[in-house]
Amino acid sequence: MARRTTKKKGSGGGFVLTLILVLLAIAVAGGIYYAASRGGEKDVLDKGLTGGVATVDLREESKAAQRAVDDILLSKDNWQLKDNGREDQHERMKETGGEVAWNKRQLAIGVPPSTGLEGAASWLGEKIAGAKMVVVNQREATYNGWDSVRMEIAIVAKAGDGKMNFVTDTVYFYHNLNLTKEDKDIKEEKEKKKEDKKPVQKYHGKLAVIIDDCGYDLAPVRKLVNLNAPFSYAILPYKDFSSDALHVIKSGGQTAMLHLPMEPMDRSAMSEGKNTVLTDMTAEQVQNLTRKAVDSLPGIEGVNNHQGSKATSNEATMKAVLKVLKEKKLFFVDSSTYSKSIGDQTARSMGIPTARNNIFLDNSSDEDDIIAKIWQAVEMADRNGSAIAICHARPNTADAWSKVIGEVQASGIQLVPVGNLLK
């Protein structure tokens, strides 16, 4: 009897294990069916079978696109291709909380001097058309000090009912003097040759650039000031290099500002602790904190907010801050960290010179992304007559500006201190 009892228990355990395996198989099959039912096209806004957070992997698609670009370029036996490296990219989708992963690389294409750079880029753009790839950006640039044309190629992915682009190739076309075999179909136009052309001033309008978060690291501040561009610099108070940054900025003849820490919507995300203006402070407390921060940086001309999505949308808090700024004869720039901020309109109602940020340039730390945003700001200033842009005193941002400052200044856009755009 004992043996029979043991056998029955073992048989029951085997049944449970078998049931679990069957259920897992059904779940896996369901997942496969779900993916198959979507026609094989990945949706970057897909929430997955259970509605949870999903990661959409486009790395194979991006590498396939890169191989297709290589095949096109290798049809030119008189061009030289150089792969400068690639790396995986990741972007969080705010609509789903999920992540998209893809691969991005940089290519340098040496072409003969007789080949027009714009023509070479346009030729490649025409060849990739219709292959689920698009050119999302093409403009004049520099590559290792040489004149070049820079283009970005992206794969097109499904995004719900729409589409999204993910850049897989940044391509630089430049003249390689060692290549002598001429192209049959792409010639260099004489007016495009460097010795025959004058800089084309394509843009008009004024662009003011504010460099935030000065005080953490002095090296990027020095590098940016040494560009001799009329940037404005917002300094966080009480940092290790706050006073040094102020000295470098003022010595360089640039506009210095206070980057006043203010309460964000999520108080746990505050970066400056007790030095932050809070919405539950009394007016007197806000004014004392603001006055102390202003006095810690003698010679500043204005103020903008650090964080502050909650504080800049609170009228009482803003009035208390702005009362001190009016006493000190300082302007206020609303950093626009929150779409419903009332900082600039409150300042205007109190007779304080003010303005509002239009675009952030370095939410991404990738230099190419920052450069693309710089040109987006230039186009915005050209379109609207003026624009204000904010970036940060970080190494990659300083490097990005170092690479394009000459091109931006030659483009016809007028870089100005932010004080020139106050109303």
Side-chain angles (χ1 to χ4, degrees):
M1 290 295 292
R3 282 195 299 271
R4 288 195 191 100
T5 303
T6 303
K7 186 175 181 180
K8 286 180 182 178
K9 286 183 179 178
S11 175
F15 174 75
V16 172
L17 178 60
T18 301
L19 180 60
I20 291 171
L21 291 173
V22 169
L23 290 173
L24 285 172
I26 291 170
V28 171
I32 293 171
Y33 172 80
Y34 175 78
S37 70
R38 303 188 67 83
E41 185 177 8
K42 295 176 181 176
D43 186 343
V44 298
L45 298 184
D46 195 348
K47 292 185 178 180
L49 184 64
T50 63
V53 174
T55 296
V56 180
D57 193 336
L58 298 178
R59 282 174 289 197
E60 286 305 315
E61 288 85 347
S62 54
K63 289 175 183 177
Q66 291 164 354
R67 287 192 293 271
V69 170
D70 287 346
D71 290 342
I72 294 169
L73 291 170
L74 289 170
S75 70
K76 288 287 188 181
D77 61 3
N78 58 337
W79 289 10
Q80 183 185 68
L81 279 62
K82 183 181 179 184
D83 189 327
N84 288 329
R86 64 188 73 201
E87 60 182 14
D88 287 345
Q89 307 290 308
H90 301 272
E91 182 175 341
R92 183 75 58 187
M93 296 289 101
K94 64 181 180 180
E95 295 88 346
T96 64
E99 187 177 78
V100 177
W102 76 102
N103 189 264
K104 181 180 176 183
R105 68 173 175 174
Q106 185 191 97
L107 284 180
I109 312 299
V111 301
S114 59
T115 301
L117 299 179
E118 289 281 0
S122 297
W123 176 85
L124 177 58
E126 290 171 4
K127 292 292 184 182
I128 67 169
K132 286 200 172 181
M133 291 184 282
V134 292
V135 176
V136 294
N137 189 12
Q138 181 176 319
R139 59 177 174 76
E140 293 183 355
T142 57
Y143 173 74
N144 287 347
W146 298 307
D147 288 343
S148 73
V149 168
R150 177 182 183 273
M151 71 185 302
E152 290 182 325
I153 299 172
I155 55 173
V156 181
K158 178 178 172 59
D161 295 329
K163 300 286 184 182
M164 286 186 69
N165 299 328
F166 296 88
V167 174
T168 55
D169 276 303
T170 300
V171 186
Y172 289 90
F173 291 90
Y174 68 98
H175 284 137
N176 186 329
L177 302 181
N178 295 318
L179 302 175
T180 57
K181 186 177 178 181
E182 292 190 5
D183 271 302
K184 292 180 253 180
D185 52 350
I186 306 172
K187 302 297 181 183
E188 173 70 292
E189 298 175 11
K190 288 184 179 180
E191 61 268 27
K192 286 288 184 181
K193 290 184 179 178
K194 186 176 179 181
E195 60 270 24
D196 294 335
K197 71 175 183 179
K198 295 179 181 178
V200 178
Q201 295 197 345
K202 179 179 179 181
Y203 298 106
H204 302 85
K206 297 178 180 180
L207 176 63
V209 179
I210 299 174
I211 313 295
D212 273 356
D213 288 359
C214 299
Y216 283 123
D217 185 357
L218 198 57
V221 177
R222 288 189 186 278
K223 188 165 189 173
L224 287 161
V225 169
N226 287 339
L227 295 178
N228 294 316
F231 294 155
S232 304
Y233 296 80
I235 308 168
L236 281 165
Y238 320 121
K239 293 298 176 188
D240 291 343
F241 298 103
S242 297
S243 296
D244 293 327
L246 178 64
H247 175 73
V248 169
I249 294 160
K250 297 294 287 182
S251 297
Q254 307 294 306
T255 299
M257 302 166 57
L258 165 66
H259 197 32
L260 181 64
M262 302 184 77
E263 184 181 357
M265 288 295 179
D266 180 3
R267 187 174 285 197
S268 67
M270 291 191 317
S271 67
E272 302 306 309
K274 65 181 181 180
N275 299 314
T276 304
V277 171
L278 303 176
T279 55
D280 57 6
M281 287 178 170
T282 65
E284 183 178 7
Q285 288 173 320
V286 170
Q287 289 165 14
N288 288 340
L289 189 152
T290 303
R291 192 172 289 109
K292 182 181 176 185
V294 168
D295 292 344
S296 74
L297 297 168
I300 60 169
E301 299 176 44
V303 175
N304 74 335
N305 54 288
H306 171 69
Q307 299 184 318
S309 52
K310 186 171 184 179
T312 59
S313 56
N314 184 291
E315 185 177 8
T317 302
M318 282 310 309
K319 283 185 173 180
V321 169
L322 292 166
K323 183 177 179 181
V324 175
L325 272 52
K326 188 166 187 176
E327 290 172 2
K328 300 282 187 177
K329 297 182 179 178
L330 302 172
F331 62 76
F332 176 74
V333 175
D334 192 325
S335 298
S336 195
T337 57
Y338 183 48
S339 61
K340 296 181 180 179
S341 169
I342 59 170
D344 57 329
Q345 68 186 58
T346 306
R348 195 170 293 114
S349 71
M350 295 173 65
I352 298 169
T354 189
R356 190 183 186 97
N357 172 47
N358 301 118
I359 183 172
F360 285 96
L361 304 180
D362 55 358
N363 287 335
S364 165
S365 61
D366 181 85
E367 278 186 35
D368 288 338
D369 291 343
I370 297 169
I371 290 171
K373 280 289 188 180
I374 290 171
W375 286 109
Q376 188 177 333
V378 168
E379 290 168 357
M380 184 182 292
D382 177 66
R383 186 169 58 250
N384 300 327
S386 66
I388 296 173
I390 288 180
C391 53
H392 298 80
R394 300 169 184 159
N396 285 12
T397 302
D399 290 341
W401 271 111
S402 297
K403 289 179 179 178
V404 300
I405 188 65
E407 296 174 54
V408 171
Q409 291 174 323
S411 72
I413 211 71
Q414 184 182 355
L415 292 173
V416 298
V418 72
N420 288 28
L421 300 184
L422 303 175
K423 295 179 181 178

